[in-house]
Amino acid sequence: MMKKYRILLIVVVVIAVGMVSSRAFTPQEESVQAQESRWQQIAEERGLTEDDLVAAAMTYTPSGVMDEYVMFASGGHSGQVFAIGLPSMRLLRTIGVFTPEPWQGYGFGVGEDVLSGGDIDGQPVRWGDSHHPALSETEGDYDGQFLFINDKANGRIAVIDLRDFETKQIINNPLYLNDHGGAFVTPNTEYVIEGGQYAQPLGDAYAPLDEYQSVYRGMVTFWKFDRDAGRIDPAQSFAMELPPYWQDLCDAGKRVSEGWVFCNSLNTEMATGGIEEGNPPFEAGVSRNTHDFLHAINLDAATAVFEAGNTVEIAGMPVITLDTAIANNLLYLMPESRSPHGIDVAPGGDYMVVSGKLDPHVTIYSFQKIMDAVAAGTSDFDSYGVPILSLESVMEAQVEVGLGPLHTQFDGQGYAYTSLFLDSAVARWSMGAEGYRPQDGWTLQAKVPVQYNVGHIAVAEGDTVSPDGNYLVSLNKWSIDRFFNTGPLLPQNLQLVDISQGGDAMQVIYDLPLTAGEPHYAQIIKADKLQPWDVYPEVGWDPLTQSVDENATQQGEESIVRDGNTVYINMTAVRSHFTPEHVDIQAGDHVVWNITNIERARDATHGFSIPFYGINLSIEPGETVTFEFDATRPGVFAWYCTEFCSALHLEMMGYMTIQP
Ligand code: K7E
Ligand code: CUA
């Protein structure tokens, strides 16, 4: 398809140029020529190259045409998630996750049940650093049902239901106040993995920094996902204590390595900083050793240990202690290049790729060799007694890719792609193993410059058992000179790269500035795997339970009922009125207000806002919402619908009067 467009374009350009001849044209030919001339004229006026025209043709999506892929990008410290269409790179949807979001009415009257799930010791935390999104998987392939994402800043995990693209659950990890190695799912989404990052005493306890080696610990948590309930089930979840290295990213084994989990780490030096006390600063202290440790965790065996009750409880969370993990052969360490970043399991589950930020290579580990080394045993242990497998025994290959390698993804042609932060480039290299590209060996194939400072990359379905390839998105931290200057705070730049052609052909074909937090990582799913609802299945739908709320107000049943100081308002919304239109109450009343949008038409969303009381709702067709507040301030409050829903939308309002 893409190849066809490219050829077509070149043909059109050639024809247009060829038309500069003197023979007389029929009127039909003249009209075609006028069209083509216009096209060529624009290209000339704007100084577009042939590559530019190819890029335009690959990404331009005519009105009404749908995108082939949907990318879910984290919103960084905006605490949100973005759904972006590919190849058009159009922003399709913002999803409020850790942060109240007014357009969706999330956290302004409703949504508090979800947001408060992430409270920490009763303390509301209303922002997050949404970091690594993870689509739910079935047999290692995205199934389009759920999306998980971690909050790096506060150590939390959220669950988004992709039937309505809404956040259903936020769960706080009681062991830790930060995380990084999450969210990643096991191949059938039995577990959502949340690894820690900055070591601390487990259970959010206090200990001075000079007790770092004895009391501070790393951890990884395995949150059990209940697919039917669409929720993480904390009662079935457990964690594992790890040495106080800074576990960084994790990835679940798949296919041959299913049942194992891999986490890389930095700061095996166990540096605690303190430049003000004459210690090496963190950035030097954590990079003194030539190697850090890749962790291999036998999750299947760990689950058996958990189910046997061989855990201790810390802050309510069952934890497999480090000693238990060692005694049950659950944990192995392998050297990896210093200050590594990224651990990515290849589609076959047979190889693990680790980048060393300060090493121009990626290192490829063989799962079979790891298993052989485990079976052979080792006499090398770290200071906590965790067995260390030698690098020679588990390494398959190293490929020199460039400066500052971070993250790797895969395509369906046996290539791997690694982001190069310092080079501001993406490298394509061949995987020289059976099932990939044995004919090419483990070699660098090509690099494409990106603008600038790329962190993660995402290939279409590029971390599943069957990557699509075709497109790669480079999530760049800096945009510098790519866009009109809007002041010193600049957007991040997401660049779409065409990787459909093999060999050394890779081309940046679109730049998307995003102005909300740091869109840190993304996953790209084939659009037809998503089955979102057009409207809620039935009138009176509660999106939190994904079922009809029996207390929902149905048409003809609208009412205002007083019970002592509590006033129940049962309202419907339909173009272009709310029923009832008057609410007269007393100061001091407690108000329980239910509104059902009884529409069945697509896109017939109604908003609802009350001034002063901070109420702002988005009520989608079929949805019912209930919110409560105390009528503390008397006065006249005009509510109105905030969605321009019809010609008489302005009239879609009502009065709440509160008598002193
Ligand atoms: Cu996803 Cu640095 Cu947080 Cu890479 S990690 S950029
Ligand atoms: Cu409903 Cu405007």
Side-chain angles (χ1 to χ4, degrees):
M1 194 71 165
M2 273 170 251
K3 210 173 231 165
K4 214 168 78 189
Y5 277 134
R6 187 176 292 211
I7 289 165
L8 188 73
L9 267 166
I10 294 166
V11 167
V12 168
V13 171
V14 168
I15 290 173
V17 171
M19 290 236 168
V20 187
S21 69
S22 55
R23 109 177 144 81
F25 296 108
T26 65
Q28 250 166 343
E29 278 176 329
E30 263 169 19
S31 115
V32 170
Q33 186 189 12
Q35 283 280 329
E36 286 160 354
S37 300
R38 172 86 182 115
W39 195 82
Q40 189 190 17
Q41 193 189 341
I42 292 168
E44 273 170 15
E45 279 170 9
R46 301 190 67 207
L48 302 179
T49 65
E50 191 202 314
D51 275 353
D52 295 334
L53 298 174
V54 168
M58 286 191 72
T59 55
Y60 174 69
T61 305
S63 184
V65 175
M66 303 291 153
D67 279 301
E68 189 182 355
Y69 291 97
V70 176
M71 171 167 72
F72 292 94
S74 57
H77 44 293
S78 78
Q80 301 169 333
V81 164
F82 305 114
I84 296 164
L86 261 62
S88 74
M89 296 298 270
R90 295 178 293 199
L91 176 61
L92 304 175
R93 172 85 197 242
T94 299
I95 306 171
V97 184
F98 297 108
T99 310
E101 203 288 312
W103 166 58
Q104 292 154 85
Y106 179 62
F108 301 94
V110 298
E112 198 55 34
D113 293 348
V114 177
L115 284 160
S116 64
D119 289 356
I120 302 174
D121 288 337
Q123 165 79 20
V125 177
R126 292 295 177 270
W127 79 283
D129 185 2
S130 71
H131 214 61
H132 298 121
L135 286 155
S136 58
E137 296 181 8
T138 300
E139 291 178 4
D141 228 336
Y142 300 153
D143 55 38
Q145 293 184 359
F146 294 94
L147 182 75
F148 308 92
I149 192 156
N150 69 313
D151 166 16
K152 179 184 194 294
N154 301 288
R156 301 181 297 173
I157 295 276
V159 181
I160 297 161
D161 189 330
L162 293 176
R163 284 174 293 184
D164 59 2
F165 282 48
E166 289 198 353
T167 305
K168 303 300 175 188
Q169 184 182 28
I170 300 174
I171 198 156
N172 172 49
N173 193 320
L175 298 176
Y176 242 59
L177 280 171
N178 67 84
D179 66 25
H180 193 238
F184 298 94
V185 298
T186 52
N188 285 299
T189 322
E190 300 95 337
Y191 287 103
V192 182
I193 301 163
E194 182 190 20
Q197 173 113 83
Y198 304 122
Q200 61 169 82
L202 296 185
D204 290 353
Y206 168 79
L209 273 164
D210 56 16
E211 292 177 11
Y212 186 89
Q213 298 198 13
S214 58
V215 180
Y216 285 48
R217 286 294 176 266
M219 71 91 196
V220 59
T221 298
F222 301 104
W223 293 107
K224 180 79 178 174
F225 185 61
D226 180 340
R227 207 185 272 262
D228 293 334
R231 297 287 191 282
I232 284 169
D233 182 0
Q236 300 296 317
S237 305
F238 67 98
M240 185 187 286
E241 179 188 19
L242 297 173
Y245 313 140
W246 293 352
Q247 283 77 31
D248 192 30
L249 283 157
C250 300
D251 200 3
K254 51 179 86 118
R255 294 214 158 133
V256 294
S257 55
E258 183 166 354
W260 285 75
V261 169
F262 305 90
C263 302
N264 68 331
S265 66
L266 62 160
N267 197 17
T268 48
E269 297 83 353
M270 297 186 276
T272 55
I275 189 171
E276 61 280 16
E277 286 139 36
N279 298 324
F282 272 114
E283 70 265 34
V286 303
S287 305
R288 277 176 303 182
N289 292 353
T290 53
H291 287 105
D292 288 292
F293 287 128
L294 173 61
H295 299 44
I297 297 164
N298 188 337
L299 175 57
D300 283 349
T303 303
V305 167
F306 160 63
E307 283 168 357
N310 196 357
T311 53
V312 300
E313 201 173 292
I314 302 175
M317 172 73 81
V319 179
I320 297 175
T321 65
L322 194 48
D323 289 343
T324 303
I326 294 166
N328 288 276
N329 304 317
L330 306 182
L331 176 64
Y332 297 88
L333 302 176
M334 291 157 273
E336 48 187 5
S337 297
R338 67 159 70 163
S339 291
H341 209 53
I343 161 75
D344 296 287
V345 179
D350 37 8
Y351 298 101
M352 290 84 211
V353 180
V354 172
S355 302
K357 283 185 304 230
L358 304 179
D359 172 342
H361 297 88
V362 289
T363 303
I364 298 102
Y365 298 75
S366 153
F367 181 70
Q368 187 55 52
K369 288 184 177 176
I370 294 171
M371 290 300 99
D372 291 347
V374 164
T378 175
S379 53
D380 194 11
F381 301 89
D382 79 345
S383 59
Y384 295 91
V386 184
I388 302 172
L389 312 174
S390 75
L391 183 59
E392 308 75 63
S393 69
V394 294
M395 190 179 91
E396 182 71 25
Q398 282 192 315
V399 181
E400 185 169 342
V401 289
L403 297 180
L406 295 182
H407 298 287
T408 298
Q409 293 239 317
F410 307 89
D411 71 8
Q413 303 179 60
Y415 291 119
Y417 299 81
T418 300
S419 54
L420 304 172
F421 181 83
L422 297 177
D423 272 354
S424 279
V426 174
R428 165 191 271 158
W429 49 277
S430 54
M431 300 196 40
E434 216 41 60
Y436 299 96
R437 297 186 78 81
Q439 69 276 24
D440 290 339
W442 301 92
T443 48
L444 177 68
Q445 299 282 323
K447 281 194 210 181
V448 60
V450 292
Q451 288 77 29
Y452 302 90
N453 295 5
V454 53
H456 279 272
I457 50 176
V459 171
E461 310 223 340
D463 71 345
T464 69
V465 295
S466 58
D468 280 22
N470 298 330
Y471 299 108
L472 177 149
V473 172
S474 173
L475 293 102
N476 306 316
K477 315 287 188 191
W478 285 22
S479 60
I480 310 182
D481 56 2
R482 293 291 104 170
F483 307 108
F484 180 78
N485 184 8
T486 53
L489 179 62
L490 302 187
Q492 278 75 30
N493 187 19
L494 274 55
Q495 287 183 309
L496 182 66
V497 182
D498 170 23
I499 57 165
S500 61
Q501 322 290 308
D504 59 4
M506 282 195 285
Q507 191 194 331
V508 172
I509 55 175
Y510 201 89
D511 281 38
L512 170 68
L514 268 189
T515 64
E518 185 218 35
H520 182 82
Y521 175 51
Q523 288 187 334
I524 303 169
I525 183 175
K526 199 84 197 290
D528 61 16
K529 285 187 178 175
L530 297 165
Q531 304 288 329
W533 288 324
D534 291 342
V535 298
Y536 280 110
E538 292 175 60
V539 170
W541 199 262
D542 178 358
L544 213 52
T545 61
Q546 299 291 37
S547 62
V548 173
D549 177 357
E550 55 188 32
N551 296 319
T553 310
Q554 300 289 346
Q555 194 166 25
E557 294 173 2
E558 299 88 349
S559 65
I560 298 175
V561 181
R562 176 175 286 277
D563 178 6
N565 267 355
T566 303
V567 179
Y568 296 89
I569 299 155
N570 302 303
M571 178 176 271
T572 57
V574 70
R575 281 162 289 170
S576 302
H577 56 268
F578 295 104
T579 310
E581 295 185 333
H582 291 170
V583 169
D584 303 310
I585 57 174
Q586 314 283 326
D589 283 344
H590 180 69
V591 180
V592 181
W593 199 314
N594 173 271
I595 308 177
T596 304
N597 178 343
I598 60 174
E599 304 268 3
R600 301 313 288 148
R602 262 187 104 176
D603 213 354
T605 292
H606 297 291
F608 181 86
S609 70
I610 303 179
F612 175 79
Y613 286 102
I615 303 298
N616 172 44
L617 312 174
S618 172
I619 316 166
E620 281 85 69
E623 181 176 359
T624 190
V625 299
T626 303
F627 60 95
E628 302 185 25
F629 64 95
D630 291 316
T632 51
R633 183 186 185 278
V636 175
F637 302 83
W639 75 72
Y640 74 99
C641 167
T642 46
E643 284 277 335
F644 208 114
C645 54
S646 63
L648 297 175
H649 147 82
L650 263 188
E651 291 80 352
M652 191 167 177
M653 57 80 67
Y655 280 110
M656 173 173 72
T657 52
I658 304 180
Q659 295 177 37

